[in-house]
Amino acid sequence: MPSHADQDEVDRDEPGQGEPGRFREGQTVVRRGLHPDGRIAAVESARVIRDDERGLFLWVRKGSAILRRATLAGEPTRHLPWAEDMRLPTVLVPKTWRSYDTLMLIPPGSADSDVSHSVWWAWRDDGTFVGWYVNLESPAQRWSGGVDIRDYALDILVAPDRSFEWKDEDEFAQLTGHPFFWDEAGAKAIRAEGERVIALAAAGVFPFDGTWCDLAPDDGPPSVLPWWWDLPGPGR
């Protein structure tokens, strides 16, 4: 359970009515991943670092509240094939963010594209910068309490020296052509977005220019899950 101080912070961050323009610094929001059928697949609670022309910057400190899909028997579904996961009766269960302290950049989406990405900075407990994680996803849809995205399975790991490797290529190939997911043309567009981001990393331009690599941008406590995490958004 959150402390009274934590809960007071969330209460002050009640979502507004309608589509927000920009979130305010320090505000608690949620990032939700959606299944193709609109069900919530995953939720992260986060604190807004900034929201400007470069995009929305979210801080997910280790220990922050998250929700993940599990079977009715309580087994996590994250290692199941997505198509199987979507056919099972499942529930969302509370967890905590156990990986690295993470800064997520969700850039402004293009109005003429169904493909975008987010870039995540990651730090170990001792403050050592681990590298960047590029999550290929749909353009984020904003709502009053946060953002909704659909994950495209294919990801990229970028090391501090800006070398890179693709991640989850087998899963991406298995989903390509499935009626729940994307066709061959969609797969080409998703991979092209990844190649575009790789070119940014190779050139050492933002967000791969060293910004924040030496210092995590926030030392506040882990985020708690707001009561309104499951309010309907534009994609549900």
Side-chain angles (χ1 to χ4, degrees):
M1 294 290 292
S3 68
H4 290 300
D6 289 337
Q7 190 60 58
D8 287 346
E9 177 184 347
V10 173
D11 289 344
R12 289 196 300 271
D13 284 335
E14 289 193 21
Q17 299 297 314
E19 186 77 1
R22 295 231 171 117
F23 298 109
R24 69 180 182 277
E25 182 178 339
Q27 181 177 355
T28 299
V29 297
V30 291
R31 176 186 179 271
R32 304 188 300 198
L34 304 183
H35 279 313
D37 61 7
R39 287 181 301 146
I40 297 174
V43 181
E44 294 92 37
S45 63
R47 188 159 48 251
V48 175
I49 298 300
R50 65 177 60 173
D51 189 8
D52 56 26
E53 67 281 354
R54 284 181 162 176
L56 174 62
F57 295 80
L58 300 179
W59 178 245
V60 185
R61 192 172 184 84
K62 190 174 180 179
S64 292
I66 64 174
L67 296 170
R68 291 293 184 263
R69 282 274 167 195
T71 67
L72 298 184
E75 295 296 322
T77 62
R78 61 176 299 181
H79 300 301
L80 294 176
W82 278 29
E84 181 180 346
D85 180 3
M86 290 184 60
R87 293 184 184 279
L88 288 173
T90 58
V91 293
L92 284 165
V93 296
K95 302 282 186 179
T96 56
W97 186 261
R98 293 185 178 181
S99 55
Y100 305 110
D101 287 339
T102 304
L103 176 68
M104 299 179 178
L105 165 60
I106 302 172
S110 172
D112 59 357
S113 177
D114 294 329
V115 184
S116 188
H117 69 278
S118 57
V119 178
W120 306 5
W121 289 251
W123 294 265
R124 295 190 179 92
D125 291 345
D126 64 2
T128 302
F129 178 62
V130 177
W132 299 270
Y133 183 94
V134 180
N135 198 67
L136 295 169
E137 60 196 36
S138 65
Q141 293 186 296
R142 290 183 178 233
W143 59 286
S144 57
V147 293
D148 290 349
I149 63 97
R150 286 182 169 82
D151 191 273
Y152 288 154
L154 188 62
D155 304 307
I156 305 162
L157 301 176
V158 181
D161 65 0
R162 299 185 182 85
S163 60
F164 72 91
E165 61 179 291
W166 293 94
K167 183 175 180 292
D168 298 328
E169 289 189 281
D170 290 345
E171 181 183 10
F172 179 69
Q174 290 169 2
L175 295 178
T176 298
H178 192 285
F180 282 156
F181 298 98
W182 43 84
D183 57 16
E184 290 290 344
K188 289 181 180 178
I190 293 167
R191 188 172 286 275
E193 177 72 0
E195 296 283 3
R196 187 180 71 82
V197 178
I198 287 170
L200 295 178
V205 299
F206 184 83
F208 305 101
D209 60 352
T211 301
W212 282 317
C213 292
D214 295 332
L215 181 67
D218 186 286
D219 60 359
S223 300
V224 298
L225 193 69
W227 65 262
W228 37 260
W229 65 268
D230 60 346
L231 285 178
R236 298 185 61 220

